[in-house]
Amino acid sequence: MSFFDILALIVPAAIVSAAPLILTALGGVFSERSGVVNIGLEGLMMFGAFLGAIFTHYGEQWGLGAASPWMSFAVAIIGGALFAVPHAVASISLKADQVVSGVALNFLAAGLSIFLTKKLFDAGQTPDIQERIGKGDIPVLSKIPVIGDLFFSNAYSTSFVAIFLAFVVWYIIYKTPFGLRLRSVGEHPMAADTMGINVNKTRYISVIIGGAFAGLGGAIYVASIAGNFTQSTISGQGFMALAAMIFGKWHPLGAMGAALFFGLAQSLSITGEQIPLLKNIPDVYLLIAPYVLTILALAGFVGRADAPKASGQPYEKGKR
Amino acid sequence: MNVMKGRLFHILVPVISVLLGLLIGGIIMLVSNYDPIQAYSALIGGIFGNGYNIGETIRAASPLILSGLAVAFAFRTGLFNIGVEGQLLVGWLASVYVGIHFDLPKIIHLPLAVIAGALAGALWGVLPGILKARFKVHEVITTIMMNYIALYVTNAIIRAYMLAPGERTKDIKESASLASPWLQQMTDFSRLHYGILVALIGALFMWFVLWKTTTGYELRAVGFNQHASQYAGISVSKNIILAMAISGAFAGAAGTMEGLGTYQYMTINNAFTGVGFDGIAVSLLGANGSIGIIVAALLFGGLKIGALTMQSTAGVPTELIGIVIALIIFFVASSYLIRWLTNRFTKGGKI
C-alpha cells in the first residue's frame, strides 16, 4: 500500500468526521470568548442532531427530496439557538454557576430529545433518513492533480461549509466591531461596560449564536455520518468539540485545525486496521489521543492554552 | 433572626426547586397528552409501593450518595470535579479486578476490594489535582478529558485481559461481594446490597473530615479564599491535590457499588453510566452537606426507579424524569431567582 493510498484513505474520512466538530467548536468559541463557559455544547449538539434527524425525515415526507437535510439544518440552527437560551438566562441574568448550568443543559437535551423521539415515533430511535448528504466531487477544485483527489473528490459538501464558516467566524470575531465587543466582554467586562458596551446583551447574543452553531454541528453529524437519532448518536462529540476549542486556544481557526486533527485521530481509529504501520497499535491509543493532547496543551507541554480572562464569571455592575 | 432566615432559605431553595421541576414535568406531560396525575401516582407507587421498589430505590441511591459526596468534597475546596464518571469507572474496574484475582477470606477480601476501587478513583482524581495545583489548569476541562480516557482505557483493559462471554468480565468471587441474601429477602428479592452501609460511612467520613479535623478546616479555608489561606500559611497546592484525591476516592467507591454490589462484574461500557453526572445534581441539591446529599440521593434514586413503573403503567417515557432532574438543577443553580422572588414577597418591594 503506497503512501498516497494511505492518505487517500485517511484524509477524506478525517474531513468528514471533523465537520460537526468544527461547527460545534466554533459555537464554543463564540460563547467562551464572550465570557460564558459552555459545557452544554454536548447537549446543544444532541438537540441539533435530534432536530436534524426528525426534520430530514419530515422533509422527505413533505416531498422536499434532496433539500430535506438542508431544511433540517435551518431548523437545527434555530432550534440550537433557542435551546441555548436557558443556559444564557441562567448563567448571565440569574448568575448561576456556568458549569452547573451547562451540565443541566446536557441533562435537559438528553431527556427532552429521547422523550420527544419516543412520543413522536413510539420507538427509541428516529426512522433512518434516506436523503443523506451525498458524497460528490467539488466542481473545479477536484480537477487539481493530487490535492484534488485527496481533498475535493468524494467529499461531503458540508465539510467545506464548516471550513468556510470557520473563516467567517474568524472574520467576525477579529475584524468587526461586534467581534471586538465580544472579546472585550470576555476579557474585562467592567472596562467594556465603562466604554458603553452592553455586557449582558453581548453575552446573550454570543451564547445564542454559539447554540446555533452547535445545533448545526449536530444536524450535520446526523445527515452525513449517523443517519438517524438514538440515545447514543451524540456521545462525547460535544465534549470533543470543547477539547478542540481549547486545543485551538479559543481561536476559530485554531479550533478548526484542532477539530480536523481530532477528526484524523477518530478516522485513524476506524480505518487504522487497513494501514500496515498502524495495524499493530491498539485502537485505544487513537481513541484517547484527543483528550490526552488537550490535557497536555492545557498543562503547557504543547503550547500553553489560556482561557479568556473573565470566562466563568457572571458580570455584576459595580462589583470590584 | 437572620441566621434562622439563612437556614430556612437553604432548605427552601431545594424544596421549591424540586416542586417546580415536578410541576413543569407535569405540564410537559399534559402538553404531550399524558395524564400527569396517573403518572405521578405511578411514580410514587414505583418508589414506595412494595418492598422490592424500596429496596431498588436504596440500591440506586447508594452509588449516588458516594458520587454526590465526591462532587461535594471537591466543591468545598473550591474545585468542580466533573470527572466523577471516569473515577467511578476505574474504581469499578479495580474493585472487580481484586474481586476476581485474589483469594482471601471475606473479612479481608471485601474491604480490600472496596479500598482498591477507592484508591484507583483517587489516583484518577489526583492527576487533575496536580495539574491544577502545579500548572493552574482548570480542573473542569481536565476531569472531562479524564472521563473519556477512563471510558476507553477500562474498555480496552477488559477486552485485552479480562474478557468473559457477553462483553464483560467474569463474576467476582463470593468473598468480595457486597450482595446480601438477607437484605434481598427482606425486600422481595431486589438487588439491595450492603453498599448502602459503605455509602453512609462515606457520608459520615466526609462530615467528620470537613468539620472535625484541622485538615478539613484547611480544605474549607482554601475553598473560601485561596489568597487568604496562603497568607495564613495553608498550602493551597497541597490542599487542592488532597481534595481531588479524596473526591476521587469517593467516586471510586461509588464504582465498587456497581462492581461488588449490583452487578458483581464489569461490562464493556459504550457510554457513561450517568451516576457520576447525577452526582453533580445530588451534591447541588444536597447543598454539599452529608445529610442533604443522602436525602437528595434517595430522591434521585427514587425518581429513577419510580420512572420504570411510571413507564410501564402510565406509558410515560422514563426520560421525563431526566427532564425533571435537569430542571431541578437549573432551578437550584439559579437560586438567585428564588432569592429575589422571596425577597420581593417578604419585603413587599422594599430593599
Side-chain angles (χ1 to χ4, degrees):
Chain A
M1 191 182 252
S2 77
F3 181 66
F4 187 78
D5 288 337
I6 294 174
L7 278 185
L9 196 67
I10 301 169
V11 172
I15 296 178
V16 170
S17 24
L21 293 182
I22 294 174
L23 289 163
T24 310
L26 290 174
V29 169
F30 263 107
S31 170
E32 302 224 348
R33 282 313 282 260
S34 79
V36 181
V37 169
N38 205 341
I39 303 284
L41 285 179
E42 174 93 356
L44 290 163
M45 204 177 171
M46 188 180 280
F47 197 65
F50 162 73
L51 291 176
I54 62 167
F55 277 92
T56 308
H57 174 71
Y58 289 142
E60 286 161 4
Q61 289 185 335
W62 298 333
L64 291 176
S68 321
W70 297 93
M71 187 272 294
S72 83
F73 295 165
V75 178
I77 289 172
I78 297 165
L82 289 177
F83 203 66
V85 171
H87 180 52
V89 173
S91 54
I92 300 169
S93 296
L94 299 178
K95 306 186 187 345
D97 186 315
Q98 298 174 359
V99 174
V100 172
S101 162
V103 169
L105 200 67
N106 289 339
F107 272 108
L108 191 62
L112 198 61
S113 52
I114 298 295
F115 178 80
L116 290 174
T117 304
K118 283 186 177 166
K119 178 76 200 158
L120 292 170
F121 301 104
D122 263 326
Q125 60 186 63
T126 64
D128 286 337
I129 57 174
Q130 311 300 321
E131 297 287 349
R132 291 196 182 199
I133 294 294
K135 288 184 183 179
D137 296 352
I138 307 291
V140 180
L141 297 172
S142 63
K143 298 287 185 292
I144 308 171
V146 187
I147 300 175
D149 283 342
L150 262 188
F151 294 102
F152 301 111
S153 302
N154 240 344
Y156 291 103
S157 43
T158 45
S159 306
F160 295 95
V161 172
I163 292 170
F164 174 71
L165 280 175
F167 285 95
V168 172
V169 171
W170 166 79
Y171 184 82
I172 292 174
I173 290 186
Y174 283 94
K175 301 289 166 191
T176 65
F178 170 72
L180 183 64
R181 283 181 204 135
L182 186 154
R183 284 181 289 137
S184 70
V185 300
E187 293 291 334
H188 203 311
M190 198 178 295
D193 195 11
T194 319
M195 299 303 288
I197 297 168
N198 187 335
V199 174
N200 284 357
K201 186 178 145 197
T202 312
R203 286 186 169 178
Y204 263 99
I205 294 172
S206 308
V207 171
I208 288 169
I209 294 177
F213 270 91
L216 177 62
I220 286 185
Y221 186 81
V222 164
S224 59
I225 300 170
N228 69 356
F229 179 80
T230 70
Q231 203 161 12
S232 59
T233 300
I234 300 296
S235 57
Q237 291 92 333
F239 286 118
M240 197 185 269
L242 188 77
M245 178 196 72
I246 295 163
F247 196 55
K249 300 191 170 71
W250 284 269
H251 188 288
L253 300 181
M256 179 192 77
L260 282 169
F261 179 70
F262 290 173
L264 184 75
Q266 272 196 321
S267 70
L268 279 179
S269 69
I270 298 162
T271 57
E273 283 160 21
Q274 303 172 44
I275 299 164
L277 255 180
L278 291 171
K279 213 181 328 189
N280 298 321
I281 301 176
D283 291 1
V284 60
Y285 293 108
L286 294 162
L287 285 171
I288 65 173
Y291 309 110
V292 174
L293 282 168
T294 304
I295 291 178
L296 292 178
L298 282 164
F301 296 122
V302 195
R304 183 155 181 92
D306 284 311
K309 285 229 168 47
S311 74
Q313 298 154 7
Y315 176 59
E316 290 176 58
K317 258 186 205 287
K319 191 189 168 199
R320 282 168 188 269
Chain B
M1 181 64 197
N2 266 336
V3 176
M4 273 295 291
K5 222 175 153 190
R7 281 251 171 91
L8 188 68
F9 184 75
H10 278 303
I11 299 173
L12 210 59
V13 168
V15 171
I16 291 179
S17 302
V18 169
L19 292 178
L20 276 178
L22 288 170
L23 182 72
I24 298 183
I27 294 171
I28 294 174
M29 282 194 269
L30 265 186
V31 173
S32 18
N33 268 333
Y34 296 112
D35 180 355
I37 295 172
Q38 189 201 356
Y40 279 145
S41 41
L43 181 76
I44 292 168
I47 303 172
F48 303 109
N50 52 41
Y52 177 84
N53 290 342
I54 295 174
E56 280 290 297
T57 294
I58 298 173
R59 177 197 63 77
S62 321
L64 286 178
I65 293 174
L66 286 164
S67 67
L69 291 172
V71 177
F73 198 90
F75 208 80
R76 288 281 186 189
T77 314
L79 301 163
F80 202 141
N81 182 6
I82 299 202
V84 174
E85 198 68 59
Q87 293 144 14
L88 181 149
L89 287 174
V90 291
W92 185 349
L93 184 69
S95 69
V96 168
Y97 181 86
V98 171
I100 294 172
H101 290 278
F102 285 55
D103 231 341
L104 296 162
K106 182 148 194 160
I107 196 145
I108 303 172
H109 199 181
L110 177 55
L112 188 72
V114 174
I115 290 168
L119 267 182
L123 274 178
W124 212 254
V126 91
L127 188 68
I130 292 172
L131 289 169
K132 168 90 175 181
R134 177 80 182 72
F135 299 104
K136 301 259 175 288
V137 181
H138 205 295
E139 76 282 359
V140 166
I141 309 296
T142 38
T143 49
I144 290 176
M145 301 303 137
M146 292 292 282
N147 279 345
Y148 285 95
I149 298 173
L151 179 65
Y152 294 124
V153 168
T154 51
N155 282 350
I157 290 175
I158 295 174
R159 240 182 226 121
Y161 305 110
M162 299 169 74
L163 198 61
E167 294 280 282
R168 67 184 187 89
T169 67
K170 278 189 292 194
D171 280 338
I172 55 164
K173 296 218 172 75
E174 170 53 37
S175 55
S177 171
L178 281 168
S180 146
W182 175 70
L183 282 177
Q184 289 175 352
Q185 215 163 24
M186 215 171 62
T187 55
D188 300 342
F189 300 98
S190 73
R191 289 174 293 171
L192 184 60
H193 53 78
Y194 285 128
I196 183 67
L197 297 179
V198 178
L200 293 177
I201 293 168
L204 192 68
F205 176 76
M206 179 172 103
W207 170 81
F208 183 78
V209 169
L210 278 180
W211 302 100
K212 299 290 160 195
T213 65
T214 326
T215 316
Y217 181 83
E218 289 192 3
L219 289 166
R220 284 183 292 124
V222 171
F224 279 122
N225 190 331
Q226 294 198 356
H227 301 293
S229 312
Q230 185 95 40
Y231 187 70
I234 298 172
S235 164
V236 174
S237 310
K238 192 196 90 185
N239 279 294
I240 285 177
I241 295 172
L242 183 66
M244 282 306 289
I246 298 178
S247 170
F250 278 125
T256 68
M257 300 294 102
E258 312 290 51
L260 308 175
T262 307
Y263 298 104
Q264 315 273 321
Y265 56 82
M266 184 166 180
T267 48
I268 290 178
N269 291 295
N270 293 319
F272 291 117
T273 57
V275 172
F277 291 122
D278 288 340
I280 298 169
V282 168
S283 94
L284 200 65
L285 191 67
N288 301 315
S290 290
I291 299 195
I293 286 171
I294 295 171
V295 175
L298 284 169
L299 175 75
F300 284 144
L303 285 177
K304 295 209 161 219
I305 297 300
L308 302 172
T309 312
M310 190 179 77
Q311 176 158 8
S312 58
T313 55
V316 182
T318 50
E319 280 73 19
L320 182 88
I321 290 305
I323 300 174
V324 170
I325 290 179
L327 292 169
I328 293 174
I329 306 177
F330 264 122
F331 288 125
V332 179
S334 316
S335 59
Y336 186 79
L337 176 72
I338 298 174
R339 199 182 295 259
W340 185 79
L341 282 176
T342 46
N343 274 350
R344 287 286 118 167
F345 284 123
T346 50
K347 289 178 183 164
K350 291 190 294 276
I351 298 171

